[in-house]
Amino acid sequence: GTKRGAGKIEVAEPRNKLSHPPSSLPTDAVLYSGPFPFYRRPSQLGYFSLDAERQYHGDARALRYYSPPPTNGQGPNFDLRDGYPNRYQPRDEEVREGLDHLLRWLLEHRGQLEGGPGWLAGAIVTWRGHLTKLLTTPYEQQDGWQLAASRFQGTLYLSEVETLAARAQRLARPPLLRELTYMGYKFEQYMCADKPGGSPDPSGEVNTNVAFCSVLRSRLGNHPLLFAGEVDCTDPQAASPQPPTCYVELKTSKEMHSPGQWRSFYRHKLLKWWAQSFLPGVPNVVAGFRTPEGFVCSLKTFPTMQMFEHVRNDRDGWNPSVCMNFCAAFLSFAQNTVVQDDPRLVHLFSWEPGSPVTVSVHRDAPHAFLPTWYVEAMTQ
Ligand code: 0WD
Ligand code: CA
C-alpha cells in the first residue's frame, strides 16, 4: 500500500469506471453499429440429455438424426396436427429449472475444462437462449426480459427470470397457440430418426421433456463464454461431421405468398433464427412451411451465414454487428455491475422495449438461483 504524504502524487480514479458503473444501458440499434466484434468459433465441450421424465443423463441418448423425406417425387405432406392433443406430453412449465442442468454438467466436468487453469473463473455461464434474447434486443419491439446475475468464484452466471407479462401471457395462452407449439415439435418428429440412417416414426408421442443439449465454448470480444443450447438433430451426412457443424436446427413457419410476407419474414423471424443458430455455430436451419390447415408441403434450408443477405439492403432490416456489439456491451455492463463474489447476491437486469436496461439488487430467495448443492460442491 502507498503511504499518504510520502511524496507521491495521488491520481484520482476516473469516476464511472468500476467504482461507479453506469446504472443503465441503452439499447438503441444506432448506438451499436460499427465493425463486427470478435466471436470465437464455437467449440463443443460436451453434451447431456434430458429424458421423458426430464431426468439428466450425461450422454447423447436424446440426440436425433436428420432424416428428411426423399427429394424425388412430390414434396412432403406432414400433418402437424396429427396426434394433438392425445399424443402430446408437454413439459411442466411451472418448474423453474434455471441453470440447474447446465450446472450439473459443469460440476461433473469442471476438472477437465480446456482453456487452462482459471478459464472458468473469467467466463460467463448461461443458456444459449438467454444470449439469443440479448442479440435481438436492439430490434425487439414486443417482449421484454429479465436476467438474474450472480458472481461465484469469479464466474458470472446469467439466468433468465420470467417477467410478469410473460407469465400472464403463458397462463392465458389461447388453445390455438398451444396447438401451434405442438406443431413445431411434431415437425421435428417427421424430420428426425432415432438412429443414423433410420426413418422417422411419427406414430409415437411428442414429449417436450426430452432434450439433447450441446455445451459450447466461445468468446465475444474479451468475454469468454460457456453456454448450453438444445440441439434438434445431427446430420449423419453433413460435409463437416464434427459438432457443432453437423447440427441442424428445425423450424416451422407460415407459408408465404406475397413479396411483402417474405420481407416481413426476413425482418423478424430470420433475425431470431440467425441469432439462435449463429451463437452455437449451427450452420443450417431447415424450415417447414405450413398451410393454414397445418400441413408442411415445402421445405427450405437457410444457411445461417447467408441469412443476413436477405436484409443487407433493407433499411428496416437487422444487422448482425449491432446484435453482437450490443451483447458485448451488455456483458461488459453486467461484469462491471456485479462486483461482489457471492452466490446469494443477485443483480436483476430488466429490460422493456423502448427503455434502457436497468438493475436492481436482491439477496437470497426468491431471486438467488445458484443451488446449494452446486455452491457446496464447488466450495469443496
Ligand atoms: O426455464 C426456462 N425459463 C428456460 C429453460 C428458458 C430457456 C431454456 N430453458 C432450458 C430448457 O431446459 C430447455 O431444454 O434450456 C433448454 C433449451 O435451451 P436453449 O437452447 O438455450 O433455449 P432456446 O434457444 O430458447 O430454445 C431452443 C429449443 C426450442 O426450440 P425452438 O425451435 O422453438 O427455438 O429449446 C426448446 C424449444 O424446443 N425450449 C424449451 N424446452 C423446454 N422448456 C424451453 C423451455 N423453457 N425453451 C425452449
Ligand atoms: Ca427448433
Side-chain angles (χ1 to χ4, degrees):
T2 306
K3 292 207 176 69
R4 282 175 193 279
K8 286 241 168 77
I9 299 165
E10 291 204 296
V11 180
E13 279 288 319
R15 289 187 71 79
N16 271 344
K17 187 88 192 293
L18 290 175
S19 51
H20 291 279
S23 57
S24 75
L25 179 74
T27 63
D28 319 63
V30 288
L31 300 176
Y32 298 98
S33 60
F36 195 86
F38 175 82
Y39 188 65
R40 181 192 191 269
R41 181 166 48 86
S43 55
Q44 179 174 272
L45 296 177
Y47 44 78
F48 57 87
S49 294
L50 304 174
D51 67 18
E53 282 79 45
R54 202 69 178 171
Q55 294 304 303
Y56 175 101
H57 301 273
D59 55 40
R61 69 183 67 190
L63 177 59
R64 291 179 297 175
Y65 299 84
Y66 184 59
S67 175
T71 44
N72 51 1
Q74 318 96 313
N77 192 36
F78 302 148
D79 180 1
L80 299 184
R81 299 164 70 191
D82 178 56
Y84 186 82
N86 294 327
R87 285 181 282 135
Y88 186 26
Q89 304 283 359
R91 189 185 78 95
D92 180 358
E93 291 177 279
E94 280 298 301
V95 180
R96 314 308 319 165
E97 296 177 327
L99 300 182
D100 292 9
H101 300 304
L102 171 55
L103 297 179
R104 171 146 179 207
W105 182 92
L106 193 47
L107 193 54
E108 291 174 4
H109 295 84
R110 67 188 193 282
Q112 304 122 253
L113 286 183
E114 45 174 68
W119 182 85
L120 183 59
I124 294 170
V125 170
T126 191
W127 282 107
R128 178 270 307 273
H130 304 356
L131 295 173
T132 305
K133 287 195 180 177
L134 290 172
L135 259 62
T136 59
T137 294
Y139 300 105
E140 178 63 45
Q141 300 192 341
Q142 261 156 27
D143 300 322
W145 47 253
Q146 289 192 312
L147 277 175
S150 290
R151 190 181 297 287
F152 173 51
Q153 296 181 347
T155 309
L156 187 69
Y157 295 85
L158 298 176
S159 180
E160 190 179 18
V161 175
E162 190 175 41
T163 61
L164 285 175
R167 177 174 169 78
Q169 258 184 41
R170 173 167 62 79
L171 295 176
R173 196 184 295 161
L176 269 171
L177 264 182
R178 188 182 125 95
E179 187 168 10
L180 216 53
T181 304
Y182 171 82
M183 291 162 68
Y185 291 109
K186 188 68 189 175
F187 177 60
E188 298 176 6
Q189 203 182 50
Y190 280 111
M191 296 288 289
C192 298
D194 286 341
K195 299 203 161 59
S199 296
D201 173 14
S203 73
E205 303 220 309
V206 169
N207 185 320
T208 60
N209 288 294
V210 180
F212 170 80
C213 294
S214 171
V215 182
L216 299 133
R217 172 190 171 189
S218 183
R219 179 161 52 88
L220 172 56
N222 58 352
H223 301 289
L225 302 173
L226 188 154
F227 57 93
E230 192 172 325
V231 169
D232 290 331
C233 57
T234 183
D235 182 356
Q237 311 207 60
S240 40
Q242 179 186 307
T245 53
C246 53
Y247 292 150
V248 180
E249 171 66 31
L250 302 171
K251 294 287 185 196
T252 60
S253 199
K254 259 196 224 153
E255 237 175 32
M256 284 165 295
H257 300 286
S258 70
Q261 289 173 332
W262 278 102
R263 187 58 31 228
S264 168
F265 166 82
Y266 295 146
R267 284 176 183 167
H268 302 106
K269 224 161 201 189
L270 220 46
L271 163 61
K272 302 211 167 168
W273 292 6
W274 171 79
Q276 186 188 42
S277 286
F278 177 76
L279 282 162
V282 172
N284 290 297
V285 177
V286 174
F289 292 103
R290 53 178 156 73
T291 65
E293 296 75 33
F295 284 79
V296 164
C297 302
S298 70
L299 302 172
K300 188 174 169 62
T301 299
F302 292 91
T304 306
M305 298 311 281
Q306 292 168 26
M307 291 178 179
F308 173 53
E309 300 309 325
H310 295 289
V311 290
R312 189 188 283 276
N313 300 316
D314 184 346
R315 291 177 53 85
D316 297 318
W318 45 274
N319 188 316
S321 302
V322 168
C323 300
M324 298 302 278
N325 286 326
F326 171 73
C327 186
F330 173 81
L331 297 178
S332 297
F333 176 56
Q335 287 285 18
N336 293 335
T337 303
V338 186
V339 177
Q340 254 198 77
D341 198 296
D342 180 347
R344 297 167 57 182
L345 186 68
V346 172
H347 282 77
L348 187 62
F349 295 90
S350 303
W351 179 72
E352 286 300 331
S355 302
V357 180
T358 59
V359 199
S360 57
V361 191
H362 310 262
R363 177 172 288 282
D364 294 328
H367 288 100
F369 61 88
L370 290 172
T372 316
W373 56 260
Y374 181 73
V375 171
E376 287 182 351
M378 292 288 280
T379 309
Q380 298 304 308

